Amino acid sequence: EDKVVQSPLSLVVHEGDTVTLNCSYEVTNFRSLLWYKQEKKAPTFLFMLTSSGIEKKSGRLSSILDKKELFSILNITATQTGDSAVYLCAVEDVRTYKYIFGTGTRLKVLA
Amino acid sequence: GAVVSQHPSWVICKSGTSVKIECRSLDFQATTMFWYRQFPKQSLMLMATSNEGSKATYEQGVEKDKFLINHASLTLSTLTVTSAHPEDSSFYICSGAQGYEQYFGPGTRLTVT
C-alpha cells in the first residue's frame, strides 16, 4: 500500500532557528513530490519536485528530493513566527493523478 | 491563474439534513476534481475522484450513497453530504486538476449539530 510518512510530527523552535522537515514515501507509481503549507485554511503550494538532487528554493525555504532513498526534506532558515503552520508532503501517483498526503509536521515558531 | 473556489466556506446544519458544497474552477477547465476531508489535526484524506460527465470514483471506506458527487460541467463539481450526522463534521476541500497539478479550493467547514 502506498504511503507517505512525515517527521517529526511536531516541532517547536525559536525565531531565527533553522528547521528541517522530513518526508519519506513508498509509492509505486511516483511522479512528483509536493510540499504545502497549511494554516487555518486549505493548503498553499510551496514546491513540486520531480528530479533527484535538484534543490528548489524560495526565499528562506528550500527543498530537495532523493528518489533513490525515497525521501525529501524541506528546510526553513531564519524561521519567523509567520512560518508557524502545518507542513504537508504529498506524492503524486502518475497513473491516477492522485495525491497521497503525509500526516503533516506541525511547526510552531516562538518569538 | 488556476483558482478554485468553494461555497459555502462554512455551514452549520442539523443532524439528518443534507448539505451541498460547490467547487468551481474559476479560470480553467477541470476535467478531474478531487474531494478531500480533513479532521482536526489530521492530514487530508482523499474521498473521491470526480470526472466530468461520469460517475465519481470513491476511495475505500467512503460511502458513495452518503457523499454524493456530481461533476456536471468542466468548472463545477458538487459534494452533497446526505443525512448528515455529527461525525460528518469536518473540513472538506476540493481541488481541480489541470494536467498533473492540483489547485486547491479554500475549503468548507461543516458542523453538524
Side-chain angles (χ1 to χ4, degrees), chain B residues 33-98:
Chain B
M33 286 183 170
F34 297 91
W35 286 95
Y36 296 85
R37 179 167 56 183
Q38 186 176 34
F39 292 109
K41 297 190 178 181
Q42 293 188 28
S43 191
L44 276 72
M45 186 191 79
L46 180 64
M47 298 175 66
T49 304
S50 166
N51 291 299
E52 187 265 338
S54 64
K55 289 185 179 180
T57 305
Y58 290 81
E59 295 299 301
Q60 195 170 13
V62 178
E63 298 176 60
K64 59 181 71 174
D65 294 330
K66 181 166 185 62
F67 299 99
L68 300 178
I69 291 171
N70 184 281
H71 194 154
S73 77
L74 289 171
T75 59
L76 173 64
S77 176
T78 60
L79 167 69
T80 301
V81 183
T82 62
S83 188
H85 288 106
E87 56 265 32
D88 298 323
S89 298
S90 189
F91 192 50
Y92 292 87
I93 305 173
C94 71
S95 70
Q98 187 175 45

Side-chain angles (χ1 to χ4, degrees), chain A residues 31 38 42 92 98-99 102, chain B residues 38 41 43 59 100 102 105:
Chain A
R31 180 189 176 268
Q38 186 178 27
E92 183 183 12
K98 292 180 185 176
Y99 287 5
Chain B
Q38 186 176 34
K41 297 190 178 181
S43 191
E59 295 299 301
Y100 285 107
Q102 292 186 31

Side-chain angles (χ1 to χ4, degrees), chain B residues 3-23:
Chain B
V3 178
V4 175
S5 70
Q6 278 184 247
H7 177 80
S9 56
W10 60 271
V11 58
I12 301 172
C13 71
K14 290 189 176 180
S15 193
T17 61
S18 294
V19 173
K20 181 186 280 189
I21 302 169
E22 292 186 351
C23 176

